[in-house]
Amino acid sequence: MRLADLPALVTQREEAVTLLDAIAAGIDERELAPFVSALTTAEDEQAVAIMRGSGNETSLRVQLGALLTEAGLVSEDEVFQAFDARRARARGAVA
């Protein structure tokens, strides 16, 4: 999956699922940064700052999954399935 395959804006479930598909396909995390920025609220920024300060910062993929879930666009199970698919893909590439 390429950056051009990603939606310009994420406001509907189908667009969120496309992002989860991109995560599962192993898209470069930097490509997800604009979506994380667009979905992040002031409260989310505070939480990320606290996590970073305590040494518990999460990846952009994890942040995006949490934001999509928080927005009600996808379920936690769907996010976990995308992460599992990404890990399985990575293991297959290494093996």
Side-chain angles (χ1 to χ4, degrees):
M1 185 169 280
R2 304 171 301 126
L3 178 59
D5 298 326
L6 300 179
L9 188 62
V10 181
T11 59
Q12 297 182 13
R13 176 174 168 65
E14 295 78 23
E15 297 153 344
V17 169
T18 298
L19 289 180
L20 291 182
D21 290 343
I23 289 171
I27 194 165
D28 189 302
E29 190 171 74
R30 293 174 291 185
E31 306 294 349
L32 303 174
F35 300 102
V36 172
S37 294
L39 292 165
T40 299
T41 65
E43 292 82 15
D44 296 326
E45 286 180 22
Q46 290 174 343
V48 168
I50 290 168
M51 292 176 73
R52 183 178 304 125
S54 68
N56 294 313
E57 187 171 10
T58 60
S59 70
L60 285 176
R61 283 185 281 283
V62 171
Q63 288 178 36
L64 181 58
L67 291 167
L68 293 173
T69 301
E70 183 179 307
L73 297 172
V74 295
S75 70
E76 286 181 0
D77 286 342
E78 290 171 307
V79 173
F80 290 132
Q81 288 171 3
F83 293 155
D84 289 344
R86 181 179 177 281
R87 279 190 292 277
R89 184 180 179 280
R91 276 192 303 258
V94 172

